[in-house]
């Protein structure tokens, strides 16, 4: 059937790297695929949003526009069942590009979305700090974060599929649980 709207993806991978096709995207897609595998769902329901292609940022007098605007990335994020957000660490936090995008959502606007924050950095401390900061902003937007963020050290990116599989093995049940993450969000995760 043609001409109708395309189905809404169950899983949206949001990549906050200012460089399209990055290793950050690779680890995020590996996590999405591993989670779907553990949950017995087909990987065909994944939509990847590369902010490097969608969001335009300019420091000059002229506004910048992304190369792609279709489909609506904000609608895709709002309607996702599972949102995997990945960023490289920049100065101990997530990228400004990701911040510009996420700032477009209102407080608790993503209350129906389960989120998985992922950060990639050169050192474990920077990866943990960025992952934690990303988790905090996603919670502020209302997402349910039922599992700890995934912090990946750049030197381990060659093993992205193995890291994703291990993380999914440990946390897929929490991701799939009804009202996923309420204990985690309410501070009972430790």
């Amino acid at each position: 059937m043609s001409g109708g709207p395309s189905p809404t993806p169950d899983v949206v991978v949001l990549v906050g790297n200012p460089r399209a096709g990055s290793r950050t995207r690779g680890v995020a897609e590996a996590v999405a695929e591993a989670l779907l595998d553990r949950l017995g769902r087909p990987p065909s329901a994944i939509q990847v949003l590369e902010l490097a292609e969608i969001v335009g940022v300019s420091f000059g007098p002229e506004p910048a526009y992304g190369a792609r605007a279709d489909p609506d990335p904000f609608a895709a994020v709002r309607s996702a069942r599972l949102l995997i957000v990945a960023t490289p660490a920049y100065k101990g936090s997530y990228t400004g590009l990701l911040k510009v995008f996420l700032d477009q959502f209102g407080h608790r606007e993503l209350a129906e979305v389960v989120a998985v924050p992922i950060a990639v950095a050169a050192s474990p401390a920077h990866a943990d700090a960025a992952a934690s900061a990303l988790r905090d902003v996603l919670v502020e937007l209302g997402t349910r974060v039922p599992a700890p963020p995934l912090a990946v050290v750049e030197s381990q990116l060659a093993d992205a599929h193995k890291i994703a599989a291990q993380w999914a093995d440990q946390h897929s049940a929490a991701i799939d649980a009804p009202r996923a993450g309420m204990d985690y969000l309410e501070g009972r995760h430790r």
Side-chain angles (χ1 to χ4, degrees), residues 88-156:
Y90 275 34
K91 303 194 188 295
S93 187
Y94 50 91
T95 64
L97 184 64
L98 185 56
K99 179 164 179 36
V100 166
F101 183 82
L102 293 175
D103 279 351
Q104 302 306 306
F105 295 99
H107 177 69
R108 307 223 23 95
E109 187 174 346
L110 301 179
E112 300 300 316
V113 178
V114 174
V116 173
I118 300 171
V120 176
S123 75
H126 288 149
D128 288 339
S132 179
L134 182 54
R135 179 204 170 275
D136 291 348
V137 76
L138 291 170
V139 169
E140 179 68 20
L141 294 174
T143 68
R144 292 171 281 152
V145 183
L150 176 58
V152 181
V153 179
E154 288 175 1
S155 63
Q156 299 173 326

Side-chain angles (χ1 to χ4, degrees), residues 47 49-50 53-56 65-75 101:
Q47 178 180 359
L49 300 173
E50 288 255 18
E53 297 173 346
I54 297 169
V55 176
Y65 301 97
R68 263 189 338 152
D70 200 31
D72 180 357
F74 300 104
F101 183 82

